[in-house]
Amino acid sequence: MLEENRGRLLIACPDRQGIVAAVAQFLYEQSANITASDQYSTDASGGTLFMRIEFHLDGLEAREQSLCNAFSSLAAEFHMAWQYAPARQRKRMAIFVSKELHCLQELLWEWQSGQLNTDIALVISNHDDARNLVESLGLSFHHVPVNAENKAEAEAKQLALLRDAQIDVAVLARYMQILSPSFLAHYPNRIINIHHSFLPAFIGRNPYGRAYNRGVKLIGATAHYVTEDLDEGPIIEQDVTRVDHRYDAHALRIAGRQVERAVLARAVKWHLEDKVIVHENKTIVFA
Ligand SMILES: Nc1nc2c(c(=O)[nH]1)N[C@@H](CN(C=O)c1ccc(C(=O)N[C@@H](CCC(=O)O)C(=O)O)cc1)CN2
């Protein structure tokens, strides 16, 4: 379907009868055709309604300002928090990586194969290990070393790179530096991290080593939006795989890579397609 004529509306509001009908009627009156619609209510008697609607409208770009102005009246009537996103606007993505490259490789492969509808504007790393891989694809690579002494300066460099590249979303693909609150404030719910455990188990450093010591029978990975609370941001996607007593900590790390890369790729794809709503440190994913 032609992307330039496709728009998306994400809505969250107090639930009551008639909201879905009112939104559908609004789009009908705008001469739009609904191509996908999904909603979820936490509680039909007074909970919160979440909606994701995709629609087709010929000449959308020229009409979207007036459409949004008109929708804002309906949104006010239903006390909606809402977001409009035209499908034609590919999100510009930055990827942060440290020394483990498997998640970066998965994102690059999915992007190359057309699975991820995004422009990878740059890759930033605190190590140089990913340079050859990234530059072999003609992508921009920036080595920004980070240590306890230069953290503020390093983050200032990173933020300048993100600003100049007009980034919409950043992905921490096994990036092993904790981002400061001031850094995060620039990109609320627009930085996605892959944590290499099934959160909330094993928050923080060395989750596989701790999992080994605990004798777990499952290991997992969690993709979440990054917040000040380490590895406690809104969860977007998770998965697990079975392990047993024969796995040492290194074997757990190797087995975990497959889960990490798949979980991150799904989470990033859903974000790029405007399928994720964040509400009260949780997500509603219209996958
Ligand atoms: N503000 C946030 N920053 C980051 C998060 C997050 O949730 N909030 N996730 C991490 C990734 N991560 C686990 O997935 C993680 C990375 C690094 C460490 C850590 O303790 N690293 C260093 C300390 C580095 C520093 O102070 O910056 C260490 O090994 O001592 C814990 C968890 C990415 N950033």
Side-chain angles (χ1 to χ4, degrees), residues 188-200:
N189 292 325
R190 291 195 288 150
I191 301 177
I192 298 170
N193 179 56
I194 183 70
H195 181 69
H196 37 314
S197 81
F198 188 69
L199 291 174

Side-chain angles (χ1 to χ4, degrees), residues 98 146-148 151 155 172 174-181 184 191 193-197 199 202-207 210 222 224-233:
S98 289
V146 183
N147 56 52
K151 192 142 197 152
E155 285 198 349
L172 308 186
R174 292 300 307 278
Y175 180 67
M176 303 312 285
Q177 292 297 322
I178 296 172
L179 299 174
S180 69
L184 300 176
I191 301 177
N193 179 56
I194 183 70
H195 181 69
H196 37 314
S197 81
L199 291 174
F202 309 123
I203 282 175
R205 297 183 63 223
N206 189 26
R210 288 181 284 149
T222 303
H224 64 92
Y225 288 112
V226 176
T227 64
E228 295 178 31
D229 301 317
L230 185 64
D231 298 329
E232 297 199 24

Side-chain angles (χ1 to χ4, degrees), residues 110-125:
E110 298 239 354
W111 167 73
Q112 276 182 296
S113 61
Q115 301 298 307
L116 290 183
N117 184 25
T118 185
D119 294 325
I120 298 178
L122 74 168
V123 175
I124 296 174
S125 181

